Amino acid sequence: LLAQADGSVPVLLRQSGGGAVLTGPWMLGLSVALPPDHPLACQGLVASYRWLGEAMAQALQQGGVDAQALAPEVLRAMPAERRTAVAWACFGGLSPWEVLAGVRKIAGLAQVRRAHGVLLVGGVLLQPSPWQLMCEALGCAAADAQVLAATTIGAGEAIAHFDAHACASRLEQVLAATLEPQACPP
């Protein structure tokens, strides 16, 4: 979902599947396309997210946000209601290597795999998302918006004076260092 200046919310189906995402100026989105023989694309589905979640957490940490990528074993130890607070929304659930600031979700991940490559995408909440807008656009309960607001956090809420442009630059630098051209091991 992409919020428009006029308040409308066109609904688009993402190829990666997963829950609904509301995008707008409160979110930093990124996409990384990898050839199928890149070592970061050769890993399994869950392992393919690790480097990206860790890169996002690192960029947030460098900006002062207490962020960490969610390891699978930590996720498995959480109660089910914590792992899936709002089942239909991307930011309403937790998956391995997504990023938390404290105990609240700050960044989500998705991927699309095809024969010619892998597309990994992520979204970092910079400011609070207008969850009510998404709930209204999809005809979902207003209570879901309250749950989403309580279980997510924008970087600007996590620390005072958060600089979104600096965060984007840091993330770009971390990604560039991580994505050095390599080939999969034989």
Side-chain angles (χ1 to χ4, degrees):
L1 305 173
L2 176 61
Q4 303 292 305
D6 66 1
S8 66
V9 182
V11 177
L12 305 171
L13 182 61
R14 30 181 211 157
Q15 293 295 311
S16 63
V21 178
L22 181 65
T23 62
W26 51 85
M27 181 182 288
L28 172 63
L30 63 102
S31 298
V32 178
L34 300 174
D37 64 343
H38 194 286
L40 297 174
C42 294
Q43 304 173 49
L45 291 174
V46 173
S48 293
Y49 285 125
R50 181 178 185 159
W51 68 271
L52 184 55
E54 289 176 342
M56 294 165 78
Q58 181 181 348
L60 287 163
Q61 290 165 2
Q62 291 172 354
V65 177
D66 178 22
Q68 62 281 336
L70 184 58
E73 60 274 8
V74 174
L75 178 63
R76 282 191 296 274
M78 290 181 174
E81 61 275 2
R82 171 83 174 95
R83 292 188 307 252
T84 307
V86 178
W88 58 265
C90 172
F91 277 84
L94 299 171
S95 294
W97 304 117
E98 292 186 315
V99 182
L100 302 180
V103 297
R104 296 166 70 187
K105 186 170 179 176
I106 194 167
L109 302 168
Q111 65 180 292
V112 177
R113 291 180 166 267
R114 300 288 187 262
H116 299 292
V118 176
L119 177 66
L120 294 141
V121 296
V124 178
L125 293 175
L126 302 173
Q127 296 298 327
S129 181
W131 298 119
Q132 186 64 36
L133 179 63
M134 183 169 77
C135 290
E136 289 171 3
L138 296 176
C140 297
D144 287 349
Q146 294 171 338
V147 172
L148 287 163
T151 57
T152 62
I153 189 168
E157 295 173 279
I159 63 165
H161 311 294
F162 180 77
D163 186 336
H165 294 291
C167 179
S169 294
R170 285 189 303 274
L171 184 54
E172 186 176 356
Q173 291 169 0
V174 171
L175 290 175
T178 304
L179 294 171
E180 292 296 319
Q182 303 170 35
C184 284

